Amino acid sequence: MRLIKQNFERDGSGLVTLFPEEPEDMWYAYNLIRPRDLLRASALRRVVTESATGSTSSTRVHTTLTIRVESLDFDPQSSQLHVSGRIAEETKFTKVGQYHTLDLELQRNFTLIKDGEEAWDSVARGIIKEACDPVKSADVWAVVMQEGLANIAVLTGARTVLRQRVEVSIPRKRAARASDHDKGLEKFFQTTLDTLLRQIDLNESKPILLASPGFTASSFQKFITDTATRTGNKALMAQKANLVVVHSSSGHLHSLNEILQTPEVTARLQNTQYAREGKLMDEFMTLLRKDDGRAWYGPNEVEKAVEKGAVGRGGGVLLISNALFRAQDVAIRRRWVRLVDQVRDVEGGEVRTLSSEHESGKRLEGLGGIAAILTFPLDDLDEEEEESEILNGNTNDIPV
């Protein structure tokens, strides 16, 4: 993403003009645009004109429209973003109040205007900074497989996207007809390789994880190198150093979580965003199992820990899902923004916003979307919540 223009006012309102350059940028735009924002972008609008004789004709015209956002529709597979709302500025072809859906496109500017108080909060500005960072983590490809099944996915700085699923029927291996099994396995490997080559750019040097139970992944690695040698494909042969074979419990995509924790993968991906986030989630789960009061999850419990100054300098970490910031209720979003600001700017702790499209983010969502690693142990934060309910008169389920 390229930042074309930025103008923020003291009250937190303002605008930015952005130039999306790659599909990943649409994910950042999806997390940045909120209902009630003003969005200005190029559009294709159908216009009906009436002649002097009363006959009508319909034409499509290219124009620039500004809408007041009401809803967003993001397709993670194609990285297409559709934003709907009412037209906010009259043009030659449209009137204020008419509905239109803007389809944001790559290589075309769009301008986002947030005119509410504190609309451009620290989280929104952080998204722009991350999206426009020229040294964002490089993509990593993964083929999670078992005999007859392969899931080809790409891991970016913000998402894990399943690009293609390959299924090929392979006859069972029997002593009398072992050749049928071998032919079926070769067909499966060839189909998987052809599919992978349609997805990746052989001129780029990025890790390719091959994971499976048993020896399927290592056999596929050998098939790739043998194919490159037999066909004289130098670009494919150059990818040999990028192939990383690891063990997984199954060939399904959910196994990526365990794959990213293996030492060989951690060593290759140690500087990437999702590797750091995965490590923090592992640390949190280890502390949670210890039950020593240094790991808490859930909105109320984490807020109480922050209030007590336990998520600050010296190891305090706030883990929060970016899905919480997509709340349409402004008050709910401000609740999380202020918590982030309190930890980062006042307490001096670390804040990690985990993507809901990564395995680490999905694990966090299972805990309510928010968790914290504390600098010192706190006990009975959940019991404090129960006590406050009693004091407030909420005794519906309390025996007397």
Side-chain angles (χ1 to χ4, degrees), residues 8 32 67 72 122 164 228 235 249 253 255 268 333 338 360:
F8 296 142
L32 191 62
I67 65 170
L72 298 92
S122 62
Q164 198 73 48
S249 58
L253 196 60
S255 297
R268 291 290 294 268
R333 177 185 168 90
R338 286 168 181 164
S360 55

Side-chain angles (χ1 to χ4, degrees), residues 144-150 170 188 211-213 216 249-252:
V144 187
M145 62 197 315
Q146 60 193 42
E147 284 197 3
L149 171 67
I170 300 177
F188 167 59
S212 75
T216 305
S249 58
S250 77
H252 296 283

Side-chain angles (χ1 to χ4, degrees), residues 87-102:
I87 295 172
E89 296 179 359
E90 187 171 338
T91 69
K92 177 182 177 181
F93 307 107
T94 61
K95 295 180 180 180
V96 172
Q98 292 179 319
Y99 274 103
H100 190 84
T101 297
L102 290 174

Side-chain angles (χ1 to χ4, degrees), residues 296-315:
W296 286 94
Y297 64 91
N300 296 324
E301 289 80 358
V302 171
E303 284 180 317
K304 288 181 182 297
V306 173
E307 288 173 7
K308 294 176 182 292
V311 193
R313 295 177 180 83

